[in-house]
C-alpha cells in the first residue's frame, strides 16, 4: 500500500503536468489581440498601464483604482491593451486583478465587448466566486452574447466543477445552436469522461466531433490517454497514424503517452526512442513537461537520465517548486536511492518556506515501507520541529506503520488524528478492517470500543463495524453491553451474522469498559 502511495505521487505529478497543457487553451480574446504583453513591460522600461497593474502584487490592492488614476492623468486606455493585460494576469494566476479589469471594461461606454470578452470574464468569476455565480453571469448576458465562446466557457466551468449532467445538457444545446464547429467543446467533454472513468463514451464523442469539425492535437492526446488507460497499444498506434495523416504535429504529451505505453508493454527500445523524441520537443517554455520526463526515466529504470533531467531543470529555472521536488524525491525512492532522496529533502527543507507536508510524507512512507519505524518516528519529530503541519496522509502513514509493528495504542492515536485532521472523512474500509483485525487478534475489546467512538464521530458506523466489534469481544470471551440498543441508536441494521454474534457473546462474562465509550 505504501509503495503504491509513492508510485501514485509520481503519476499525479505527471498527470498534473500533462493535464495542464491539455486543458489550457488561449481564449478567443487573447488570440484577437496584437502581440502579447512582453515580459519586459512587467520588468520595467517605462510607465505603462500594464506595468502599474503588474506592480500591484497584493490582491487587496485595487486594479480599478490604478486604471482610474491612469485615465485621470490623461492617458488613453485601449481595449486590446486591457485584453493583453488580462491574459498576462491570468498566466500569473492573479485572478482577482484580472477580474477587476474585466468588470471595469464592462461598465465603460467607449469599450465594445464581444462574446470572447464575456467568456474570459465568466471563467474568472467561476475561479473566484464559484459555479453559481458563473451561471448567474451567463444568464444575465444579452442573448446575442450567449454565443459559442461564452457557451464553451460555461461548459468548461461545468467540467471543472464536476457538474456532469449540466455539461451534457449544455453540449446538446450547443449542438442545436450550431456552436460545435471547433474541437474545444468536445475536448472539454472528453476530459470530463476520462476524469469520471467513463472511457467508453469517448469513441462515440470523437465520431461526433469528426462530423462537426476536425480533431486537434489535444483531441488526439486525450484519445491516446484513453488507449493508455486501457493499455491498448494497437489502437494507440492507429490513432497516431491518423494523427500524422491529418498533419497534426505530435507534441511532448503525445510522446509521453507512448513512452509510458511502450514501457508498460516491455517494449524498451521503443520507449527509449519516444522518450528521446519527447526530450527533443521540450523547451524552457514547457516547464510542466519536466516532471513527466523525470517519472518516465524512473519508470524505465534510467537513474542517470533522472539526474541529468534534474540538473537541466536546475540550470534552466532559478528555483524548483514543491511539486518538482516531490517528483524528484519520489523518483529517487522508486529507484532505490534513499540516501540521495534524503539529501534532496534536506535541500528542500533548507530553502522552501511552504512547509508542504507532501514532501516529507514521501520519506516517511519510504521508511515505513522498509519497516524502519524508529527512523520514521525520528523523521516525524524532525517534521514537527521544522514547523511542518502533519496532514491526513502523515497520520495515515503512521497508522499503517504502527499496525505493522502491532502497537495498537499508537495505531488508535494516529488514526484518530487522521480522521480529525479533515473536515469530512472519506471512509477507508481497508484501514478500518486492518485496525479491527489487529484489535481482534489481541482480543482488546476496550480499544475496539474506542475505535467505534472515533468512527461514530466521523459519521461512519455500519453493520460490518459492529460485527468486527463483536468478533473482538468473542475473541476475548467477553459480552458487550447493550449492543443491540446501541446499533438501533446508530441506525444500523442487525443481520443474521450479527444476531448470531450477539447470541454467542451473551453467554460470556460482561466485558468491563468505561461508560464514556458506550
Amino acid at each position: 500500500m505504501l509503495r503504491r502511495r509513492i508510485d501514485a505521487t509520481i503519476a499525479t505529478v505527471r498527470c498534473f503536468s500533462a493535464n495542464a497543457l491539455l486543458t489550457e487553451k488561449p481564449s478567443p480574446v487573447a488570440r484577437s489581440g496584437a502581440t502579447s504583453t512582453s515580459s519586459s513591460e512587467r520588468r520595467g522600461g517605462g510607465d505603462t498601464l500594464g506595468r502599474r497593474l503588474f506592480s500591484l502584487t497584493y490582491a487587496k490592492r485595487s486594479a480599478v483604482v490604478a486604471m482610474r488614476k491612469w485615465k485621470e492623468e490623461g492617458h488613453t486606455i485601449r481595449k486590446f491593451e486591457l485584453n493583453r493585460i488580462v491574459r498576462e494576469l491570468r498566466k500569473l494566476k492573479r485572478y482577482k486583478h484580472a477580474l477587476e479589469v474585466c468588470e471595469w471594461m464592462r461598465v465603460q461606454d467607449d469599450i465594445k465587448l464581444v462574446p470572447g470578452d464575456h467568456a474570459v470574464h465568466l471563467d474568472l468569476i467561476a475561479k473566484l466566486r464559484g459555479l453559481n455565480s458563473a451561471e448567474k453571469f451567463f444568464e444575465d448576458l444579452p442573448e446575442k452574447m450567449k454565443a459559442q465562446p461564452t457557451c464553451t466557457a460555461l461548459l468548461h466551468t461545468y467540467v471543472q466543477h464536476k457538474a456532469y449532467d449540466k455539461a451534457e445538457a449544455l453540449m446538446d444545446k450547443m449542438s442545436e445552436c450550431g456552436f460545435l464547429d471547433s474541437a474545444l467543446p468536445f475536448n472539454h467533454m472528453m476530459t470530463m469522461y476520462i476524469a469520471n472513468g467513463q472511457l467508453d463514451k469517448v469513441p462515440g464523442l470523437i465520431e461526433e466531433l469528426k462530423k462537426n469539425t476536425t480533431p486537434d492535437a489535444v483531441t488526439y492526446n486525450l484519445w491516446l490517454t484513453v488507449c493508455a488507460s486501457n493499455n491498448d497499444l494497437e489502437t494507440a498506434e492507429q490513432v497516431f497514424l491518423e494523427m500524422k495523416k491529418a498533419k497534426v504535429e505530435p507534441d511532448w504529451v503525445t510522446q509521453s503517452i507512448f513512452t509510458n505505453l511502450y514501457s508498460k508493454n516491455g517494449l524498451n527500445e521503443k520507449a527509449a526512442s519516444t522518450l528521446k523524441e519527447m526530450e527533443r520537443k521540450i523547451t524552457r517554455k514547457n516547464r510542466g513537461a519536466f516532471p513527466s520526463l523525470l517519472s518516465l526515466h524512473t519508470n524505465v529504470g534510467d537513474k542517470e537520465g533522472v539526474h541529468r533531467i534534474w540538473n537541466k531543470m536546475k540550470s534552466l529555472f532559478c528555483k524548483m517548486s514543491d511539486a518538482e521536488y516531490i517528483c524528484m524525491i519520489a523518483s529517487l525512492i522508486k529507484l532505490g536511492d534513499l540516501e540521495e532522496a534524503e539529501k534532496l529533502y534536506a535541500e528542500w527543507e533548507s530553502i522552501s518556506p511552504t512547509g508542504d507536508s507532501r514532501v516529507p510524507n514521501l520519506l516517511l512512507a519510504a521508511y515505513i515501507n522498509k519497516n524502519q519505524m524508529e527512523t520514521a518516528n525520528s523523521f516525524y519529530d524532525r517534521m514537527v520541529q521544522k514547523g511542518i503541519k502533519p496532514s491526513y496522509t502523515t497520520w495515515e502513514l503512521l497508522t499503517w506503520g504502527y499496525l505493522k509493528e502491532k502497537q495498537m495504542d499508537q495505531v488508535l492515536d494516529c488514526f484518530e488524528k487522521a480522521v480529525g485532521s479533515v473536515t469530512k472523512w472519506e471512509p477507508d474500509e481497508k484501514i478500518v478492517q486492518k485496525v479491527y483485525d489487529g484489535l481482534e487478534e489481541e482480543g482488546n475489546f476496550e480499544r475496539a470500543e474506542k475505535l467505534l467512538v472515533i468512527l461514530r464521530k466521523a459519521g461512519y458506523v455500519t453493520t460490518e463495524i459492529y460485527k468486527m466489534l463483536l468478533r473482538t469481544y468473542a475473541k476475548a470471551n467477553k459480552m458487550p453491553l447493550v449492543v443491540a440498543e446501541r446499533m438501533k441508536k446508530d441506525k444500523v441494521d442487525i443481520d443474521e451474522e450479527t444476531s448470531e454474534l450477539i447470541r454467542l457473546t451473551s453467554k460470556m462474562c460482561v466485558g468491563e469498559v468505561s461508560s464514556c465509550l458506550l
Side-chain angles (χ1 to χ4, degrees):
M1 176 268 176
L2 299 174
R3 193 178 305 281
R4 286 200 303 273
R5 232 175 224 296
I6 294 169
D7 295 345
T9 302
I10 301 175
T12 300
V13 174
R14 181 170 66 248
C15 180
F16 170 77
S17 59
N19 285 346
L21 285 169
L22 293 180
T23 57
E24 186 70 22
K25 296 289 288 183
S27 71
V29 179
R31 289 195 295 268
S32 68
T35 56
S36 169
T37 305
S38 66
S39 58
S40 62
E41 183 177 18
R42 281 185 268 135
R43 288 195 299 266
D47 188 20
T48 66
L49 178 59
R51 188 181 178 199
R52 289 193 187 183
L53 291 172
F54 295 131
S55 69
L56 294 177
T57 308
Y58 298 108
K60 65 181 179 180
R61 299 178 69 183
S62 172
V64 174
V65 171
M67 288 185 289
R68 188 183 298 137
K69 186 175 180 182
W70 180 261
K71 204 168 185 179
E72 287 171 355
E73 291 172 4
H75 300 291
T76 300
I77 299 180
R78 293 166 294 183
K79 178 176 176 261
F80 78 88
E81 181 184 14
L82 293 177
N83 287 342
R84 294 202 311 263
I85 290 169
V86 168
R87 182 174 61 188
E88 289 293 313
L89 288 169
R90 290 173 80 201
K91 284 182 183 177
L92 296 168
K93 298 186 178 180
R94 299 259 299 277
Y95 300 128
K96 177 183 175 290
H97 290 144
L99 179 58
E100 287 175 349
V101 174
C102 287
E103 289 175 337
W104 186 85
M105 288 170 66
R106 201 178 183 201
V107 296
Q108 302 306 304
D109 294 333
D110 59 339
I111 293 180
K112 185 179 179 182
L113 300 178
V114 296
D117 300 309
H118 293 297
V120 173
H121 195 162
L122 187 151
D123 178 71
L124 289 166
I125 288 172
K127 282 182 167 62
L128 291 171
R129 298 173 187 164
L131 177 58
N132 291 339
S133 296
E135 286 183 310
K136 179 70 166 56
F137 175 83
F138 181 83
E139 289 165 6
D140 292 343
L141 286 173
E143 284 302 314
K144 65 179 181 179
M145 292 298 157
K146 294 177 183 177
Q148 185 188 47
T150 43
C151 286
T152 302
L154 182 60
L155 180 69
H156 181 247
T157 299
Y158 284 147
V159 171
Q160 291 288 301
H161 287 80
K162 300 180 181 179
Y164 300 142
D165 291 342
K166 288 184 176 182
E168 289 181 333
L170 179 57
M171 193 72 173
D172 290 340
K173 188 68 176 176
M174 290 176 70
S175 179
E176 291 173 14
C177 297
F179 291 165
L180 298 181
D181 58 356
S182 82
L184 186 56
F186 293 97
N187 293 341
H188 287 327
M189 294 300 290
M190 288 172 66
T191 301
M192 181 183 83
Y193 289 137
I194 291 169
N196 202 32
Q198 297 175 288
L199 305 183
D200 56 311
K201 289 192 175 185
V202 171
L205 192 62
I206 291 170
E207 290 305 311
E208 188 67 26
L209 182 156
K210 289 178 180 178
K211 292 176 185 176
N212 290 272
T213 183
T214 54
D216 60 13
V218 176
T219 308
Y220 283 113
N221 284 335
L222 288 167
W223 193 357
L224 288 168
T225 299
V226 173
C227 296
S229 297
N230 293 327
N231 198 27
D232 187 352
L233 182 55
E234 184 180 350
T235 302
E237 290 182 329
Q238 290 172 1
V239 172
F240 185 71
L241 288 174
E242 182 181 320
M243 187 179 187
K244 290 176 70 177
K245 189 176 179 181
K247 296 182 179 179
V248 176
E249 181 67 23
D251 58 14
W252 71 264
V253 177
T254 316
Q255 303 301 336
S256 171
I257 294 167
F258 271 102
T259 302
N260 203 34
L261 255 175
Y262 287 139
S263 178
K264 280 168 65 177
N265 286 275
L267 301 170
N268 296 330
E269 287 187 14
K270 285 189 172 184
S273 175
T274 51
L275 186 53
K276 188 175 181 180
E277 182 64 18
M278 178 183 170
E279 280 193 50
R280 190 183 67 79
K281 290 179 179 291
I282 292 174
T283 66
R284 192 178 188 279
K285 293 179 180 179
N286 307 125
R287 182 165 183 169
F290 285 96
S292 288
L293 274 178
L294 286 174
S295 55
L296 288 169
H297 277 289
T298 301
N299 289 346
V300 297
D302 182 8
K303 187 184 291 188
E304 183 182 333
V306 167
H307 283 286
R308 176 170 51 78
I309 296 300
W310 181 250
N311 289 333
K312 184 176 181 180
M313 290 170 68
K314 296 189 86 170
S315 69
L316 289 173
F317 311 114
C318 60
K319 183 181 178 183
M320 298 294 102
S321 69
D322 286 348
E324 288 161 343
Y325 272 106
I326 287 169
C327 192
M328 184 59 181
I329 291 171
S331 293
L332 292 170
I333 291 170
K334 190 172 182 181
L335 290 167
D337 199 343
L338 187 56
E339 187 177 342
E340 280 298 314
E342 289 170 330
K343 289 178 183 177
L344 191 59
Y345 174 78
E347 176 184 302
W348 171 83
E349 189 181 53
S350 67
I351 62 175
S352 177
T354 64
D356 188 340
S357 65
R358 293 176 302 164
V359 186
N361 282 345
L362 289 168
L363 282 176
L364 191 65
Y367 295 137
I368 293 169
N369 201 43
K370 289 178 171 289
N371 299 317
Q372 297 176 2
M373 203 58 203
E374 189 175 336
T375 306
N377 280 325
S378 298
F379 184 72
Y380 167 75
D381 291 340
R382 173 178 166 182
M383 285 174 59
V384 174
Q385 287 168 7
K386 292 291 183 178
I388 298 174
K389 184 180 178 182
S391 64
Y392 175 83
T393 300
T394 310
W395 295 119
E396 185 190 25
L397 289 168
L398 289 168
T399 301
W400 283 108
Y402 286 124
L403 266 171
K404 291 168 77 174
E405 299 285 314
K406 297 185 178 181
Q407 298 181 36
M408 299 310 294
D409 277 340
Q410 289 89 335
V411 166
L412 287 182
D413 181 56
C414 291
F415 181 71
E416 184 172 17
K417 287 175 179 174
V419 173
S421 68
V422 290
T423 306
K424 184 180 180 182
W425 181 58
E426 292 295 329
D428 184 339
E429 293 180 8
K430 184 178 179 181
I431 197 168
V432 172
Q433 176 75 57
K434 290 293 184 182
V435 175
Y436 263 119
D437 286 349
L439 295 172
E440 182 183 344
E441 187 178 332
E442 288 185 350
N444 195 321
F445 57 87
E446 188 160 359
R447 287 181 184 145
E449 289 282 10
K450 183 180 178 182
L451 179 55
L452 177 60
V453 171
I454 294 169
L455 294 171
R456 185 181 290 120
K457 286 180 181 176
Y460 181 63
V461 181
T462 66
T463 303
E464 189 56 42
I465 287 169
Y466 265 101
K467 284 193 279 191
M468 289 187 281
L469 175 71
L470 286 164
R471 283 194 286 267
T472 307
Y473 270 100
K475 179 67 184 289
N477 203 31
K478 295 291 183 181
M479 180 181 78
L481 291 172
V482 293
V483 70
E485 290 83 347
R486 286 192 281 157
M487 289 183 74
K488 184 177 180 180
K489 188 177 179 181
D490 285 328
K491 297 179 181 178
V492 173
D493 294 331
I494 300 177
D495 62 13
E496 188 177 335
E497 185 182 354
T498 314
S499 297
E500 178 59 25
L501 285 166
I502 292 173
R503 187 194 63 77
L504 177 67
T505 54
S506 67
K507 299 175 183 178
M508 301 171 182
C509 298
V510 174
E512 296 290 339
V513 295
S514 172
S515 60
C516 66
L517 296 176
L518 299 177

